[in-house]
Structure formats: C-alpha cells, structure tokens
Amino acid sequence: MKILIIGSGGREHALAWKISQSPLVKKLYAAPGNPGIAQVAECLPIAANEIGKIKEFALSEKIDLTVVGPEQPLVSGIVDEFRKAGLKIFGPTKAAAELEGSKVFTRELLKRFGISSPSFKVVASLDEAMKYLTKVSMPIVLKADGLASGKGVTVCEHKDIALDVVTRIMKDKIFGDSGNKVVIEEFLSGQEVSVLSLTDGKTIAVLEPARDYKRLMDDNKGPNTGGMGAYSPVKFVTPKMMDKIVGEIIVPTVHAMHSSSRPYQGVLYAGLMVSPAGIKVLEYNVRFGDPETQPLMMRLKSDIVPLLMAVVEQKLDRIKPIEWHNEPAVCVVMTSKGYPASPRTGDEITGQLANRPTGQTKDFQVFHAGTALKDEKVVTSGGRVLGITARAKDFASARQKAYDAVKQISFDGAFYRTDIAKNI
Ligand code: AMP
Ligand code: GLY
C-alpha cells in the first residue's frame, strides 16, 4: 500500500512511525512532514492546508490511504474532496468535523441528546456577552466558537478578566470570525482524561485512555499550551469508569451525529473532566490528540493500518480487538523560547538523539514536532519542538528513560516540564 500522512507535528511523526512498521506499507509519504518524519517517510513540499495539491498528488501517485493529522483540513472539507475524487481518506467529513470546528454546535448537540456537559450560554454579540457576564458568578470559561489554534479557551477567575477577554474576541476579533459567537460555560474542577476512539460510524473501537498536561509549568501553573507532555494508561480511569464513558458519552455521541445526518468516521477524541458532579465533556476533537498520540502509538501493539482502513471502509466490526503493550508510555515535550505566546524559531538543536535515529527503538523515540532543516542542521521551527517518548516496565522507569534523553538534547531557550507522569 501507498500511504500519505498530512501534517508536520509530533502527532504525525508518531503516526508515521507506527504506520511505517506495518508490513502492508510499501511507500509512505508526508505532506509536508518534518525532519523526524523524513526518517520513515518521503516528505513533500505541500502544506497541510493545500487541499487541491494534496488531492492531485494522491491521484497521480495512486495513494491507497490518506491519513489526516490536523483539524484544519478536516474542517475545510478535505475528506469530502477526496471522496468525490474516489480516494480513500481517514477522517470525518466537513459536516462531521463541526464537532471540533464549532463549540456552539457541539454544546447544543450534547445538550439536545442529554450527554453530560457543563452548563453554558451562547452569546452572539458583545453587548449580550457583557450583560450575561455581569450577572453570572466566577470562575467561568470563555470559548471562541470556531478554531483558534488551541488558544480560544480562557478560564476566567475574575469578572474584569472575562470582560476584557470577551471584548478582545468579539470586538477586536483576535480570532477573526471564529469569535463571532462565544460559549460562556460553567467552570468544572476535577481530573482531565483524553479518550480517543476509532469509529466507522457504526462500530466503535475505544483506545486506551491518555492524559496530557495543558499548562506550561510544573504543578499545572502558567498559561494553557497545546500540551507539554502525556502518558498512557491513566490509573484513575477504572474499567468501570471506562464502561460509563463509552456507554454514556462516546456511543451516544456517535449516535447523535448519525441522527443529525452527520455520520462520523475517523478518530473521535473526547476531552473529559472527571468531576465530583460526574464525568463531563469538555470538548471533542476530530483528530488524534497531540501529544497523547505519542504514548498511544508506543503502546499500540496491533498493526494500525488495518484499523485505519477498516474505519474508512466501514468494516470495523470485522477487526480483532486492539492489542496494547501493558507497559506505560510517557512523552515529555521540549518547547522553544517564548512558547506559547511567541515561540522563537531557528535555534539549532544539538545532541545525537535529536538529529539521527541513533539509539531509537520500539520503546524509545524522539518524535519531532516543530523542527526544520536549515543548512543541513536541524533547527527549531515552532513552539513544541520535540516529544521524547519512552515505554518501560513502570511509570518511574519510563519517566527516567524519557528525562535522561531530554538531558542529552539541547537548543537555546529549550524548556520542558519536569513533572510529567510524576506521582500518578
Ligand atoms: P478545550 O479546548 O475546550 O478542551 O479547552 C482547553 C482546556 O481548557 C481544557 O483541556 C481544560 O483544561 C480547560 N477547560 C475547558 N473547558 C473547561 C471547563 N468547562 N471547566 C474547566 N476547565 C475547562
Ligand atoms: N492535547 C490536546 C489536543 O490534542 O487538542
């Protein structure tokens, strides 16, 4: 088979790494990929949002399966375009991708189908937002309706902050049209978990739970980021709790999408809060999580290619149960100077591990996220630079293995959390 992966982050490197191990794969391409992905795939000079060019390439190369990493091409309708051209592609249609593309759509859908969520109010003008915010008690969570590169959510402790944030979203348009509507929702406390499922719209194959670290600094301090690290499995998610999550949240959501004429095919990522008031949906994403995918791919024992293909061909019911390594996996993300506000790029990355696959094994990988080649040197090219991922007999050993490697990689301004998978 010829497979094409779209995207250039750590998630795509982890997917490419796993896919490249399948005996079914003859040739793997990435658009655009990164220097890490180039270790296992041929990288093409086509950006992830150049849907027309990607489709042309897939047609001319007779690609058997395209796997979409990031949300933007999904929300823009890449799956619909590929299907029209008779090409196989893993991911939801534009209509189904609304689950991530519109927070208003998702909140209203979950409410209509009685799926456990925080209470919320949708506002469509600054005036309406101001009026509501003056009477509601804090803390509160503000969410721009549309995509905002992971920056659209703010937890507000005080009213003046909420008023300031909503003004920037709705008047100053910091997220453009994504801020035409805003969801103001109840703040939930508890423990977060990411539950990803593969579904062909009829059958659901739930993956092992994972957890990511959203805040920049140790002890969950500092601003929200795309994710500073992740691990799997998650001990507090008992089999009983997992049954509840699947039975009361995942299955009803897939049904809700079906009854709303937006049948869902692809990976469905539920961001959940296990709160004293129960398990509630914080968000849905319509793609694999980043960095959750890094530990998940390292723990996945089954060949991923038949799974992805079964989703696309709606044959998931014929697939054997997914097999996992029992050993836990931990991913520590190294970020560039200035992340997340204004990441600096162009810093040279040194250390054998970062540049060559030396020392990398099936249970230890340096996944590239924001890296580029410049004058034959690997340099930083984004906020999240590398995701050092290790699997071992227990969490302490996996942590040790990942952090030992982190210490052997350097670049100016490198930063990482020191508490990923600590005390869990
Ligand atoms: P989202 O993109 O909707 O998942 O939001 C990003 C992050 O904001 C989540 O992972 C949570 O840490 C936090 N968050 C979102 N919604 C809520 C909520 N209702 N209560 C508390 N924290 C939230
Ligand atoms: N790790 C959070 C996300 O993928 O959205």
Side-chain angles (χ1 to χ4, degrees):
M1 281 175 77
K2 286 185 185 174
I3 299 190
L4 165 65
I5 296 186
I6 298 172
S8 60
R11 160 186 54 210
E12 288 79 13
H13 188 185
L15 287 167
W17 171 76
K18 182 67 189 166
I19 290 171
S20 71
Q21 292 167 41
S22 169
L24 300 169
V25 177
K26 272 218 185 71
K27 178 83 191 174
L28 184 57
Y29 295 96
N34 66 35
I37 294 174
Q39 294 164 10
V40 292
E42 182 178 332
C43 295
L44 309 165
I46 307 177
N49 56 5
E50 292 183 297
I51 296 178
K53 282 194 186 168
I54 300 172
K55 188 173 81 177
E56 264 172 50
F57 177 82
L59 282 170
S60 68
E61 269 312 300
K62 298 195 171 51
I63 296 294
D64 298 293
L65 175 66
T66 299
V67 181
V68 188
E71 62 278 12
Q72 187 65 65
L74 295 167
V75 171
S76 302
I78 190 170
V79 170
D80 311 63
E81 287 292 313
F82 267 57
R83 284 193 190 166
K84 262 188 258 161
L87 291 162
K88 286 188 178 155
I89 183 162
F90 177 89
T93 58
K94 183 180 168 120
E98 278 294 90
L99 261 188
E100 179 164 1
S102 168
K103 301 216 183 259
V104 171
F105 167 79
T106 301
R107 282 283 167 253
E108 289 175 346
L109 179 95
L110 298 181
K111 186 175 177 190
R112 200 160 70 245
F113 286 85
I115 300 166
S116 181
S117 311
S119 58
F120 69 97
K121 160 107 181 142
V122 176
V123 291
S125 71
L126 183 61
D127 191 41
E128 196 186 353
M130 295 287 204
K131 276 193 188 128
Y132 183 74
L133 285 171
T134 47
K135 59 182 193 209
V136 78
S137 59
M138 297 289 133
I140 206 84
V141 185
L142 293 181
K143 300 186 171 181
D145 176 34
L147 294 183
S149 314
K151 296 184 179 137
V153 175
T154 315
V155 176
C156 305
E157 306 277 348
H158 302 289
K159 219 154 263 198
D160 45 347
I161 293 178
L163 293 173
D164 179 52
V165 171
V166 84
T167 304
R168 282 192 284 132
I169 298 176
M170 302 195 92
K171 185 160 166 258
D172 306 340
K173 297 273 175 204
I174 53 170
F175 304 125
D177 286 348
S178 285
N180 288 351
K181 288 183 183 172
V182 167
V183 178
I184 304 175
E185 70 183 37
E186 176 194 2
F187 172 82
L188 300 173
S189 51
Q191 290 192 285
E192 282 184 56
V193 59
S194 308
V195 176
L196 283 72
S197 311
L198 299 176
T199 178
D200 59 6
K202 298 181 296 190
T203 304
I204 299 169
V206 184
L207 308 187
E208 289 273 284
R211 186 155 200 212
D212 81 343
Y213 288 76
K214 291 248 160 60
R215 301 293 197 97
L216 182 67
M217 295 187 288
D218 282 9
D219 300 322
N220 297 326
K221 300 225 165 71
N224 258 347
T225 69
M228 296 297 292
Y231 66 82
S232 172
V234 184
K235 281 184 204 157
F236 73 82
V237 182
T238 58
K240 200 170 151 212
M241 192 188 285
M242 200 64 177
D243 284 348
K244 209 171 151 64
I245 290 171
V246 175
E248 295 177 16
I249 293 173
I250 312 293
V251 172
T253 301
V254 172
H255 281 161
M257 291 300 281
H258 190 82
S259 355
S260 310
S261 305
R262 297 170 192 256
Y264 194 95
Q265 258 173 285
V267 59
L268 180 64
Y269 164 143
L272 305 170
M273 181 71 89
V274 180
S275 78
I279 304 168
K280 302 198 178 196
V281 178
L282 289 182
E283 65 166 341
Y284 272 116
N285 293 317
V286 297
R287 35 123 190 125
F288 284 97
D290 192 345
E292 291 95 323
T293 303
Q294 288 80 319
L296 283 175
M297 288 304 113
M298 198 156 275
R299 291 196 56 225
L300 182 62
K301 213 189 236 177
S302 305
D303 185 347
I304 192 172
V305 173
L307 288 168
L308 299 174
M309 209 58 185
V311 167
V312 174
E313 294 179 335
Q314 294 194 295
K315 291 179 182 161
L316 206 48
D317 56 339
R318 299 191 205 163
I319 291 283
K320 284 192 296 198
I322 299 176
E323 288 186 77
W324 297 92
H325 292 282
N326 283 329
E327 294 179 337
V330 173
C331 169
V332 178
V333 172
M334 295 180 80
T335 60
S336 57
K337 189 176 171 64
Y339 180 73
S342 47
R344 189 174 72 188
T345 59
D347 289 304
E348 186 185 345
I349 305 169
T350 55
Q352 277 254 317
L353 285 170
N355 302 342
R356 286 182 212 100
T358 330
Q360 304 201 74
T361 57
K362 287 202 172 170
D363 56 9
F364 170 72
Q365 284 290 313
V366 176
F367 290 124
H368 286 222
T371 69
L373 270 185
K374 195 175 160 203
D375 305 328
E376 300 194 14
K377 289 181 175 144
V378 182
V379 298
T380 61
S381 71
R384 291 188 288 172
V385 179
L386 299 166
I388 292 81
T389 311
R391 193 185 76 216
K393 65 179 193 312
D394 53 33
F395 273 110
S397 316
R399 259 176 64 75
Q400 176 92 45
K401 207 156 148 182
Y403 278 109
D404 282 352
V406 165
K407 289 180 191 122
Q408 292 177 52
I409 297 171
S410 48
F411 51 92
D412 201 16
F415 179 79
Y416 56 90
R417 276 182 70 151
T418 66
D419 63 348
I420 305 300
K422 193 176 174 183
N423 302 329
I424 52 166

